[in-house]
Amino acid sequence: MMNTVAELKERLKPIDPIDEALAYQKFLDDGWTLEGLANEVGTPAWSIKQKLGLLKLTEQVQGLVKVGHLPLEFALLMTKLDVLHQRLALRLLVERSGVSLAIFREHVIRLEMEQGQVSMFDFLNGEISWKILDNSLRLATW
């Protein structure tokens, strides 16, 4: 199996980050440890873990990364967001051209805070508070 990992190392250079993450995940599923894989491939464990985070993104976001329409740095910021908040983050990029990484980072941090509020499930008569969701939508147009 060592030859397979060495071959993976060579093949990883030209592939997109999503396929790279899928390849890492397959090795982990086959019993490799993160540290063992990192040593064999010659990539820091934190880098592999970061790439694995891309697999938490929606298919839509992963697709944009695969074809190069969403830079890796932007996608990595979105890995802590749930599906709704990933869509809200994308909305900013669609509605405003030329958004810098710094502005996007600030936006994602705000979305993470909103996500935390939504996850508390502020129920009023069995429904999620629309005020919190309204806030999230306003942030997306920021």
Side-chain angles (χ1 to χ4, degrees), residues 55-62 78-91 111 115 118 133 136-137 140:
L55 300 178
K56 297 176 186 173
L57 297 171
T58 65
E59 287 183 29
Q60 177 188 24
V61 177
Q62 288 183 25
M78 296 172 63
T79 59
K80 293 181 182 177
L81 299 175
D82 62 22
V83 173
L84 169 67
H85 291 88
Q86 287 178 36
R87 289 184 178 150
L88 293 172
L90 278 180
R91 184 173 167 185
L111 287 172
Q115 177 177 289
V118 170
L133 290 177
S136 293
L137 292 173

Side-chain angles (χ1 to χ4, degrees), residues 61-85:
V61 177
Q62 288 183 25
L64 292 170
V65 174
K66 280 181 79 71
V67 298
H69 290 140
L70 181 64
L72 177 61
E73 295 80 10
F74 286 74
L76 289 171
L77 290 173
M78 296 172 63
T79 59
K80 293 181 182 177
L81 299 175
D82 62 22
V83 173
L84 169 67
H85 291 88

Side-chain angles (χ1 to χ4, degrees), residues 14-137:
I15 67 172
D16 68 81
I18 301 299
D19 286 340
E20 183 178 352
L22 289 168
Y24 288 145
Q25 187 61 58
K26 182 175 180 348
F27 280 102
L28 294 174
D29 292 345
D30 288 345
W32 284 80
T33 65
L34 182 62
E35 293 77 18
L37 182 59
N39 288 335
E40 189 64 32
V41 177
T43 300
W46 65 264
S47 179
I48 293 174
K49 194 171 183 176
Q50 191 177 49
K51 293 275 175 55
L52 289 168
L54 295 171
L55 300 178
K56 297 176 186 173
L57 297 171
T58 65
E59 287 183 29
Q60 177 188 24
V61 177
Q62 288 183 25
L64 292 170
V65 174
K66 280 181 79 71
V67 298
H69 290 140
L70 181 64
L72 177 61
E73 295 80 10
F74 286 74
L76 289 171
L77 290 173
M78 296 172 63
T79 59
K80 293 181 182 177
L81 299 175
D82 62 22
V83 173
L84 169 67
H85 291 88
Q86 287 178 36
R87 289 184 178 150
L88 293 172
L90 278 180
R91 184 173 167 185
L92 173 72
L93 295 175
V94 169
E95 291 178 353
R96 294 172 127 195
S97 62
V99 174
S100 71
L101 184 60
I103 295 291
F104 189 70
R105 180 179 294 114
E106 289 175 21
H107 183 65
V108 169
I109 289 169
R110 287 189 177 109
L111 287 172
E112 283 182 74
M113 291 177 2
E114 287 292 322
Q115 177 177 289
Q117 289 179 357
V118 170
S119 69
M120 286 188 256
F121 293 101
D122 181 12
F123 282 95
L124 298 175
N125 297 325
E127 295 181 13
I128 295 176
S129 169
W130 292 109
K131 181 179 179 185
I132 292 173
L133 290 177
D134 233 17
N135 246 355
S136 293
L137 292 173

